[in-house]
Amino acid sequence: MIGDRMTIYNKRQKAIAEKIDTETSLSNWKDYKWQLRNVIKDIDTFEILTGIKFGKKERRQIEKTIAKFPLSITPYYLSLIDTNEYQTDPIFKQSFPDPQELIVTKYDIKDPLAEDKDSPVPGITHRYPDRLLFLISNICSMYCRHCTRKRKVGDVDSIPSKSEIMKGIRYIKDTPAVRDVLLSGGDPFMLSDGYLDWILTELQKIPHVEVIRIGTRIPAVLPYRITNDLVEMLKKHHPIWVNTQFNHPRELTASAKESIKKLADAGIPLGNQSVLLAGVNDCPRIMKTLLHTLVQNRIRPYYLYQCDLSEGLNHFRTPVGKGIEIMEHLIGHTSGFAVPRYVVDAPGGGGKIPVMPHYIVSWGTNKVVLRNYEGVITSYKEPDSYQEYFCDRNCKECDLQLNLEGADEFNAVGIAKLLSDFDKTITLTPKETERIVRRNDKKEG
Ligand SMILES: *Cc1c(COP(=O)(O)O)cnc(C)c1O
């Protein structure tokens, strides 16, 4: 069965390769530069290569959609489309424009995660205390239809210059709290080996940068870019972590697996960030197959994202309940390390918020009632006496012997503050609720 599928893919690739270029055939297929030179950017070429024909009216709508959100598909990804049933094909849906992208709802936001607002210098979003997002590439080999940065796609198809990158690097240098740098884009692997090598070298000169992460969709859309040379270069910069984005088991082809193997063999820990997409993977069985295929290939599922409120993604969104239902089908039912964390990235820039089914059924003074994945309800007796260490953040005099250098400077933030002993805060209240405004008016009056 798998063998059959492989030959179908190979035949399709050969047919596509020969149509693109009569001089070449499969020999060039695995050359990523050839793939990039032959990226599909218009409907005519798409029709010729796939044999799919759109009606006149349909075509006009697709053209309108492309005018707003451009089209770009690698020949490799195109070859994965099931041309016989393309309307329901997850590969087609993720790569080919849908006129529904033009429907803008009143809840859609251009930059829902406020990445631009939380940006101290161009390219950097600094949202969390100890880590930041650094967009080092404005280019992608393929334009995913579900892109959260759709507002930028096809905008300036350029690579930031060294002086622009240096501004970001200088910000990181000047911000000692940053210990984890997340490189994304665009796709960082669209940069040349040399340029990426330079960026990684500069980042690693900064003493407080402990880890570098790269977020990429290349293994799913252009796996041939993961060359031995690229991997040899990355190896020099450990600890490097890579997060891929596979959304459907069909994306894990023999070529994709080969590219993953190279990265894993280079000692790079691999994670995967999927997006929950209506009509693509909003099914517990598809999701479980995807997750199992990932772990078989040494990729640890990391996040499952609720689809953002970016413009043009309305038709991809599911209710949050669908995600929780999928989590219910995963937790306990399969290996713990195959289960991603399901998150809603807070509109307005609050960051990722984990969402899960409830497992605590009730709670008494010294007993907690829990349920498991089978529906078994159990109780856990909490200790009658628990000698808690009073914590005033004075780690030097603490019996726990943490010996954390500089730990006395650590301060609790957010909800953790409410749980701590050393801080007198008893409530976190939004600044301008009607109640608070009334209170302040009274004080002033
Ligand atoms: C997701 C994200 C990070 C990294 O978050 P982790 O939960 O550590 O993976 C950092 N900065 C921004 C702006 C992000 O969106």
PDB file of all heavy atoms in Angstrom, residues 113 115 125-128 131-133 149 180 182 213 243 273 302-303 305 341 345 352, ligand 1:
ATOM      1  N   LEU A 113      -1.848  39.269  17.015  1.00  0.00           N
ATOM      2  CA  LEU A 113      -0.992  38.973  18.156  1.00  0.00           C
ATOM      3  C   LEU A 113      -0.198  40.201  18.588  1.00  0.00           C
ATOM      4  O   LEU A 113       0.672  40.121  19.453  1.00  0.00           O
ATOM      5  CB  LEU A 113      -0.039  37.820  17.823  1.00  0.00           C
ATOM      6  CG  LEU A 113      -0.715  36.572  17.244  1.00  0.00           C
ATOM      7  CD1 LEU A 113       0.308  35.510  16.913  1.00  0.00           C
ATOM      8  CD2 LEU A 113      -1.761  36.023  18.211  1.00  0.00           C
ATOM      9  N   GLU A 115       2.162  41.702  17.230  1.00  0.00           N
ATOM     10  CA  GLU A 115       3.607  41.473  17.117  1.00  0.00           C
ATOM     11  C   GLU A 115       4.326  42.771  16.790  1.00  0.00           C
ATOM     12  O   GLU A 115       5.460  42.977  17.179  1.00  0.00           O
ATOM     13  CB  GLU A 115       3.890  40.427  16.039  1.00  0.00           C
ATOM     14  CG  GLU A 115       3.430  39.054  16.457  1.00  0.00           C
ATOM     15  CD  GLU A 115       3.841  37.963  15.492  1.00  0.00           C
ATOM     16  OE1 GLU A 115       3.928  38.229  14.268  1.00  0.00           O
ATOM     17  OE2 GLU A 115       4.061  36.840  15.949  1.00  0.00           O
ATOM     18  N   THR A 125       9.990  40.784  18.272  1.00  0.00           N
ATOM     19  CA  THR A 125       8.837  40.888  19.160  1.00  0.00           C
ATOM     20  C   THR A 125       9.278  40.378  20.519  1.00  0.00           C
ATOM     21  O   THR A 125       9.619  39.205  20.679  1.00  0.00           O
ATOM     22  CB  THR A 125       7.640  40.055  18.642  1.00  0.00           C
ATOM     23  OG1 THR A 125       7.266  40.550  17.358  1.00  0.00           O
ATOM     24  CG2 THR A 125       6.446  40.174  19.568  1.00  0.00           C
ATOM     25  N   HIS A 126       9.304  41.284  21.489  1.00  0.00           N
ATOM     26  CA  HIS A 126       9.727  40.906  22.827  1.00  0.00           C
ATOM     27  C   HIS A 126       8.510  40.919  23.741  1.00  0.00           C
ATOM     28  O   HIS A 126       8.048  41.973  24.145  1.00  0.00           O
ATOM     29  CB  HIS A 126      10.800  41.885  23.344  1.00  0.00           C
ATOM     30  CG  HIS A 126      11.460  41.386  24.599  1.00  0.00           C
ATOM     31  ND1 HIS A 126      12.424  42.075  25.265  1.00  0.00           N
ATOM     32  CD2 HIS A 126      11.273  40.237  25.300  1.00  0.00           C
ATOM     33  CE1 HIS A 126      12.806  41.385  26.331  1.00  0.00           C
ATOM     34  NE2 HIS A 126      12.117  40.272  26.372  1.00  0.00           N
ATOM     35  N   ARG A 127       7.996  39.738  24.030  1.00  0.00           N
ATOM     36  CA  ARG A 127       6.738  39.613  24.744  1.00  0.00           C
ATOM     37  C   ARG A 127       6.915  38.956  26.099  1.00  0.00           C
ATOM     38  O   ARG A 127       6.293  39.319  27.073  1.00  0.00           O
ATOM     39  CB  ARG A 127       5.783  38.785  23.875  1.00  0.00           C
ATOM     40  CG  ARG A 127       4.547  38.310  24.570  1.00  0.00           C
ATOM     41  CD  ARG A 127       3.488  37.943  23.564  1.00  0.00           C
ATOM     42  NE  ARG A 127       3.225  39.051  22.677  1.00  0.00           N
ATOM     43  CZ  ARG A 127       2.801  38.938  21.422  1.00  0.00           C
ATOM     44  NH1 ARG A 127       2.612  37.761  20.901  1.00  0.00           N
ATOM     45  NH2 ARG A 127       2.581  40.005  20.697  1.00  0.00           N
ATOM     46  N   TYR A 128       7.739  37.931  26.146  1.00  0.00           N
ATOM     47  CA  TYR A 128       7.959  37.186  27.381  1.00  0.00           C
ATOM     48  C   TYR A 128       9.224  37.689  28.066  1.00  0.00           C
ATOM     49  O   TYR A 128      10.082  38.272  27.412  1.00  0.00           O
ATOM     50  CB  TYR A 128       8.108  35.697  27.068  1.00  0.00           C
ATOM     51  CG  TYR A 128       6.869  35.056  26.494  1.00  0.00           C
ATOM     52  CD1 TYR A 128       6.767  34.752  25.141  1.00  0.00           C
ATOM     53  CD2 TYR A 128       5.787  34.750  27.313  1.00  0.00           C
ATOM     54  CE1 TYR A 128       5.634  34.150  24.611  1.00  0.00           C
ATOM     55  CE2 TYR A 128       4.653  34.151  26.794  1.00  0.00           C
ATOM     56  CZ  TYR A 128       4.583  33.853  25.443  1.00  0.00           C
ATOM     57  OH  TYR A 128       3.469  33.250  24.942  1.00  0.00           O
ATOM     58  N   ARG A 131      12.711  35.496  26.692  1.00  0.00           N
ATOM     59  CA  ARG A 131      12.911  35.015  25.324  1.00  0.00           C
ATOM     60  C   ARG A 131      12.204  35.936  24.348  1.00  0.00           C
ATOM     61  O   ARG A 131      11.265  36.646  24.720  1.00  0.00           O
ATOM     62  CB  ARG A 131      12.370  33.595  25.178  1.00  0.00           C
ATOM     63  CG  ARG A 131      10.914  33.434  25.588  1.00  0.00           C
ATOM     64  CD  ARG A 131      10.670  32.002  26.059  1.00  0.00           C
ATOM     65  NE  ARG A 131       9.255  31.711  26.284  1.00  0.00           N
ATOM     66  CZ  ARG A 131       8.609  32.054  27.386  1.00  0.00           C
ATOM     67  NH1 ARG A 131       9.212  32.730  28.340  1.00  0.00           N
ATOM     68  NH2 ARG A 131       7.335  31.749  27.527  1.00  0.00           N
ATOM     69  N   LEU A 132      12.639  35.918  23.127  1.00  0.00           N
ATOM     70  CA  LEU A 132      11.992  36.773  22.136  1.00  0.00           C
ATOM     71  C   LEU A 132      11.991  36.149  20.754  1.00  0.00           C
ATOM     72  O   LEU A 132      12.687  35.167  20.482  1.00  0.00           O
ATOM     73  CB  LEU A 132      12.636  38.162  22.110  1.00  0.00           C
ATOM     74  CG  LEU A 132      14.148  38.295  21.912  1.00  0.00           C
ATOM     75  CD1 LEU A 132      14.562  37.984  20.497  1.00  0.00           C
ATOM     76  CD2 LEU A 132      14.565  39.717  22.266  1.00  0.00           C
ATOM     77  N   LEU A 133      11.144  36.740  19.920  1.00  0.00           N
ATOM     78  CA  LEU A 133      10.966  36.286  18.547  1.00  0.00           C
ATOM     79  C   LEU A 133      11.737  37.243  17.638  1.00  0.00           C
ATOM     80  O   LEU A 133      11.587  38.455  17.744  1.00  0.00           O
ATOM     81  CB  LEU A 133       9.461  36.325  18.236  1.00  0.00           C
ATOM     82  CG  LEU A 133       8.979  36.034  16.826  1.00  0.00           C
ATOM     83  CD1 LEU A 133       9.224  34.569  16.475  1.00  0.00           C
ATOM     84  CD2 LEU A 133       7.483  36.344  16.707  1.00  0.00           C
ATOM     85  N   ARG A 149       0.917  35.415   9.630  1.00  0.00           N
ATOM     86  CA  ARG A 149       1.488  36.710   9.209  1.00  0.00           C
ATOM     87  C   ARG A 149       1.098  37.004   7.767  1.00  0.00           C
ATOM     88  O   ARG A 149       1.884  37.541   6.991  1.00  0.00           O
ATOM     89  CB  ARG A 149       3.012  36.692   9.373  1.00  0.00           C
ATOM     90  CG  ARG A 149       3.426  36.367  10.786  1.00  0.00           C
ATOM     91  CD  ARG A 149       4.833  36.746  11.162  1.00  0.00           C
ATOM     92  NE  ARG A 149       5.033  36.341  12.557  1.00  0.00           N
ATOM     93  CZ  ARG A 149       5.671  35.216  12.917  1.00  0.00           C
ATOM     94  NH1 ARG A 149       6.201  34.416  12.015  1.00  0.00           N
ATOM     95  NH2 ARG A 149       5.780  34.912  14.200  1.00  0.00           N
ATOM     96  N   ASP A 180      16.904  33.064  25.409  1.00  0.00           N
ATOM     97  CA  ASP A 180      16.390  32.137  24.408  1.00  0.00           C
ATOM     98  C   ASP A 180      15.928  32.982  23.215  1.00  0.00           C
ATOM     99  O   ASP A 180      15.053  33.835  23.361  1.00  0.00           O
ATOM    100  CB  ASP A 180      15.230  31.365  25.068  1.00  0.00           C
ATOM    101  CG  ASP A 180      14.441  30.481  24.137  1.00  0.00           C
ATOM    102  OD1 ASP A 180      14.827  30.328  22.975  1.00  0.00           O
ATOM    103  OD2 ASP A 180      13.404  29.938  24.595  1.00  0.00           O
ATOM    104  N   LEU A 182      14.321  33.019  19.453  1.00  0.00           N
ATOM    105  CA  LEU A 182      13.529  32.223  18.527  1.00  0.00           C
ATOM    106  C   LEU A 182      13.567  32.874  17.159  1.00  0.00           C
ATOM    107  O   LEU A 182      13.019  33.952  16.966  1.00  0.00           O
ATOM    108  CB  LEU A 182      12.107  32.140  19.101  1.00  0.00           C
ATOM    109  CG  LEU A 182      10.948  31.593  18.313  1.00  0.00           C
ATOM    110  CD1 LEU A 182      11.328  30.304  17.616  1.00  0.00           C
ATOM    111  CD2 LEU A 182       9.796  31.337  19.258  1.00  0.00           C
ATOM    112  N   ARG A 213      16.516  28.922  18.853  1.00  0.00           N
ATOM    113  CA  ARG A 213      15.523  28.045  18.230  1.00  0.00           C
ATOM    114  C   ARG A 213      15.234  28.546  16.828  1.00  0.00           C
ATOM    115  O   ARG A 213      15.216  29.748  16.588  1.00  0.00           O
ATOM    116  CB  ARG A 213      14.203  28.113  18.987  1.00  0.00           C
ATOM    117  CG  ARG A 213      14.241  27.597  20.369  1.00  0.00           C
ATOM    118  CD  ARG A 213      12.816  27.466  20.838  1.00  0.00           C
ATOM    119  NE  ARG A 213      12.454  28.480  21.808  1.00  0.00           N
ATOM    120  CZ  ARG A 213      11.213  28.623  22.281  1.00  0.00           C
ATOM    121  NH1 ARG A 213      10.238  27.865  21.822  1.00  0.00           N
ATOM    122  NH2 ARG A 213      10.953  29.533  23.188  1.00  0.00           N
ATOM    123  N   ASN A 243      11.991  23.842  15.398  1.00  0.00           N
ATOM    124  CA  ASN A 243      10.567  23.530  15.417  1.00  0.00           C
ATOM    125  C   ASN A 243      10.031  23.528  13.996  1.00  0.00           C
ATOM    126  O   ASN A 243      10.154  24.521  13.281  1.00  0.00           O
ATOM    127  CB  ASN A 243       9.793  24.568  16.240  1.00  0.00           C
ATOM    128  CG  ASN A 243       9.673  24.146  17.692  1.00  0.00           C
ATOM    129  OD1 ASN A 243       9.672  22.962  18.017  1.00  0.00           O
ATOM    130  ND2 ASN A 243       9.585  25.122  18.570  1.00  0.00           N
ATOM    131  N   GLN A 273       5.061  22.327  15.604  1.00  0.00           N
ATOM    132  CA  GLN A 273       3.949  23.215  15.938  1.00  0.00           C
ATOM    133  C   GLN A 273       2.913  23.094  14.832  1.00  0.00           C
ATOM    134  O   GLN A 273       3.153  23.520  13.708  1.00  0.00           O
ATOM    135  CB  GLN A 273       4.448  24.657  16.031  1.00  0.00           C
ATOM    136  CG  GLN A 273       5.788  24.769  16.745  1.00  0.00           C
ATOM    137  CD  GLN A 273       6.108  26.171  17.218  1.00  0.00           C
ATOM    138  OE1 GLN A 273       6.348  26.373  18.391  1.00  0.00           O
ATOM    139  NE2 GLN A 273       6.109  27.134  16.324  1.00  0.00           N
ATOM    140  N   TYR A 302       4.950  19.754  19.960  1.00  0.00           N
ATOM    141  CA  TYR A 302       5.167  20.843  20.919  1.00  0.00           C
ATOM    142  C   TYR A 302       3.862  21.616  21.133  1.00  0.00           C
ATOM    143  O   TYR A 302       3.272  21.547  22.195  1.00  0.00           O
ATOM    144  CB  TYR A 302       6.296  21.733  20.384  1.00  0.00           C
ATOM    145  CG  TYR A 302       6.717  22.882  21.277  1.00  0.00           C
ATOM    146  CD1 TYR A 302       6.955  22.699  22.631  1.00  0.00           C
ATOM    147  CD2 TYR A 302       6.906  24.156  20.740  1.00  0.00           C
ATOM    148  CE1 TYR A 302       7.356  23.761  23.433  1.00  0.00           C
ATOM    149  CE2 TYR A 302       7.313  25.220  21.534  1.00  0.00           C
ATOM    150  CZ  TYR A 302       7.535  25.019  22.880  1.00  0.00           C
ATOM    151  OH  TYR A 302       7.929  26.066  23.662  1.00  0.00           O
ATOM    152  N   TYR A 303       3.411  22.313  20.104  1.00  0.00           N
ATOM    153  CA  TYR A 303       2.161  23.062  20.231  1.00  0.00           C
ATOM    154  C   TYR A 303       1.140  22.625  19.194  1.00  0.00           C
ATOM    155  O   TYR A 303       1.482  22.235  18.077  1.00  0.00           O
ATOM    156  CB  TYR A 303       2.420  24.562  20.003  1.00  0.00           C
ATOM    157  CG  TYR A 303       2.996  25.291  21.203  1.00  0.00           C
ATOM    158  CD1 TYR A 303       4.048  26.184  21.042  1.00  0.00           C
ATOM    159  CD2 TYR A 303       2.477  25.100  22.486  1.00  0.00           C
ATOM    160  CE1 TYR A 303       4.570  26.874  22.135  1.00  0.00           C
ATOM    161  CE2 TYR A 303       3.002  25.782  23.567  1.00  0.00           C
ATOM    162  CZ  TYR A 303       4.043  26.669  23.397  1.00  0.00           C
ATOM    163  OH  TYR A 303       4.557  27.341  24.472  1.00  0.00           O
ATOM    164  N   TYR A 305      -1.849  24.858  17.751  1.00  0.00           N
ATOM    165  CA  TYR A 305      -2.358  26.233  17.836  1.00  0.00           C
ATOM    166  C   TYR A 305      -3.813  26.338  17.431  1.00  0.00           C
ATOM    167  O   TYR A 305      -4.196  25.811  16.376  1.00  0.00           O
ATOM    168  CB  TYR A 305      -1.601  27.156  16.872  1.00  0.00           C
ATOM    169  CG  TYR A 305      -0.210  27.514  17.296  1.00  0.00           C
ATOM    170  CD1 TYR A 305       0.882  26.881  16.734  1.00  0.00           C
ATOM    171  CD2 TYR A 305       0.007  28.513  18.223  1.00  0.00           C
ATOM    172  CE1 TYR A 305       2.175  27.220  17.104  1.00  0.00           C
ATOM    173  CE2 TYR A 305       1.288  28.859  18.601  1.00  0.00           C
ATOM    174  CZ  TYR A 305       2.366  28.207  18.036  1.00  0.00           C
ATOM    175  OH  TYR A 305       3.641  28.549  18.402  1.00  0.00           O
ATOM    176  N   ARG A 341       0.828  20.632  23.413  1.00  0.00           N
ATOM    177  CA  ARG A 341       0.055  21.532  24.250  1.00  0.00           C
ATOM    178  C   ARG A 341      -0.844  22.349  23.323  1.00  0.00           C
ATOM    179  O   ARG A 341      -0.363  22.924  22.341  1.00  0.00           O
ATOM    180  CB  ARG A 341       1.004  22.457  25.013  1.00  0.00           C
ATOM    181  CG  ARG A 341       0.414  22.945  26.309  1.00  0.00           C
ATOM    182  CD  ARG A 341       1.404  23.735  27.139  1.00  0.00           C
ATOM    183  NE  ARG A 341       2.744  23.148  27.178  1.00  0.00           N
ATOM    184  CZ  ARG A 341       3.844  23.861  27.435  1.00  0.00           C
ATOM    185  NH1 ARG A 341       3.769  25.145  27.672  1.00  0.00           N
ATOM    186  NH2 ARG A 341       5.020  23.259  27.459  1.00  0.00           N
ATOM    187  N   ASP A 345      -3.305  31.701  21.109  1.00  0.00           N
ATOM    188  CA  ASP A 345      -2.395  32.848  21.204  1.00  0.00           C
ATOM    189  C   ASP A 345      -3.286  34.074  21.400  1.00  0.00           C
ATOM    190  O   ASP A 345      -4.095  34.396  20.537  1.00  0.00           O
ATOM    191  CB  ASP A 345      -1.523  32.957  19.950  1.00  0.00           C
ATOM    192  CG  ASP A 345      -0.120  33.449  20.271  1.00  0.00           C
ATOM    193  OD1 ASP A 345       0.031  34.186  21.273  1.00  0.00           O
ATOM    194  OD2 ASP A 345       0.820  33.113  19.531  1.00  0.00           O
ATOM    195  N   LYS A 352       0.777  32.927  24.508  1.00  0.00           N
ATOM    196  CA  LYS A 352       0.079  31.645  24.335  1.00  0.00           C
ATOM    197  C   LYS A 352      -0.580  31.204  25.635  1.00  0.00           C
ATOM    198  O   LYS A 352       0.068  31.162  26.674  1.00  0.00           O
ATOM    199  CB  LYS A 352       1.082  30.595  23.870  1.00  0.00           C
ATOM    200  CG  LYS A 352       1.723  30.958  22.549  1.00  0.00           C
ATOM    201  CD  LYS A 352       2.828  29.995  22.192  1.00  0.00           C
ATOM    202  CE  LYS A 352       3.532  30.414  20.928  1.00  0.00           C
ATOM    203  NZ  LYS A 352       4.430  31.584  21.137  1.00  0.00           N
TER     204      LYS A 352
HETATM  205  C1  LIG B   1       5.619  31.745  20.785  1.00  0.00           C
HETATM  206  C2  LIG B   1       6.428  32.893  21.065  1.00  0.00           C
HETATM  207  C3  LIG B   1       7.593  32.766  21.835  1.00  0.00           C
HETATM  208  C4  LIG B   1       8.070  31.441  22.391  1.00  0.00           C
HETATM  209  O1  LIG B   1       7.146  30.923  23.283  1.00  0.00           O
HETATM  210  P1  LIG B   1       7.409  29.502  23.955  1.00  0.00           P
HETATM  211  O2  LIG B   1       6.150  29.209  24.717  1.00  0.00           O
HETATM  212  O3  LIG B   1       8.601  29.632  24.812  1.00  0.00           O
HETATM  213  O4  LIG B   1       7.641  28.522  22.844  1.00  0.00           O
HETATM  214  C5  LIG B   1       8.315  33.900  22.086  1.00  0.00           C
HETATM  215  N1  LIG B   1       7.915  35.108  21.635  1.00  0.00           N
HETATM  216  C6  LIG B   1       6.790  35.258  20.906  1.00  0.00           C
HETATM  217  C7  LIG B   1       6.397  36.626  20.466  1.00  0.00           C
HETATM  218  C8  LIG B   1       6.014  34.158  20.597  1.00  0.00           C
HETATM  219  O5  LIG B   1       4.907  34.310  19.867  1.00  0.00           O
END
